[in-house]
Every structure is written in structure tokens, then in C-alpha cells.
Amino acid sequence: MSVTTSVMQPEVDWSASDLEAAFAAPSFDPTVLSPDSDAIVEADWAVAGAVAAILGLALGVVLYICSVCGARSFSACYSAVISYWGRGC
């Protein structure tokens, strides 16, 4: 039997699970779904880091607007942030 014949015509005693295992790509398994507890903890820290980065960026934008508009109290800063996107300070 040649190489191309064996690839093109699998033996009859192969089952579907054998074919799935032969063509499986283990490198594409999601890390979060792995049974390794370290991977789950690392994924949780990655999510927490992303949330912290987004909140930090939002806080930085608010502080920038309040400083540019000269707002010194909470209500003045709140009004400055709302009006900054429309008519400005």
C-alpha cells in the first residue's frame, strides 16, 4: 500500500473517535478551560488587570477634564465632565 492510498482510504476498523484524535489540534485548546488551577488564576488576574486599566483610563480622563475646567468640588467636576463633551467648560 502506498502512502497516498493509506491516507486517502483509511482502514475499515478505524472509528470516528480515532479520526477525531488524529486530526485534533491540541495547541488550540483554551487555557481557561484547562484543569490546571494556575491557568484559571492567571486568567482571573488578566481580567482584573484589564478592568483596572479601563477604570484607570476613565479616572485619568475625568481628572484631566476637571483640572482643565478648574473644577474644585465634586459637583463642579461632575458638571464639567458632562458639559465638556457638548459645549465645553
Side-chain angles (χ1 to χ4, degrees), residues 62-74 76-77 80-81 84 89:
V62 168
L63 290 176
Y64 171 76
I65 292 171
C66 291
S67 66
V68 167
C69 294
R72 300 287 181 233
S73 67
F74 177 79
C77 186
V81 170
Y84 185 81
C89 297

Side-chain angles (χ1 to χ4, degrees), residues 1-7 9-11:
M1 212 184 228
S2 69
V3 175
T4 56
T5 306
S6 65
V7 171
Q9 298 173 351
E11 296 178 11

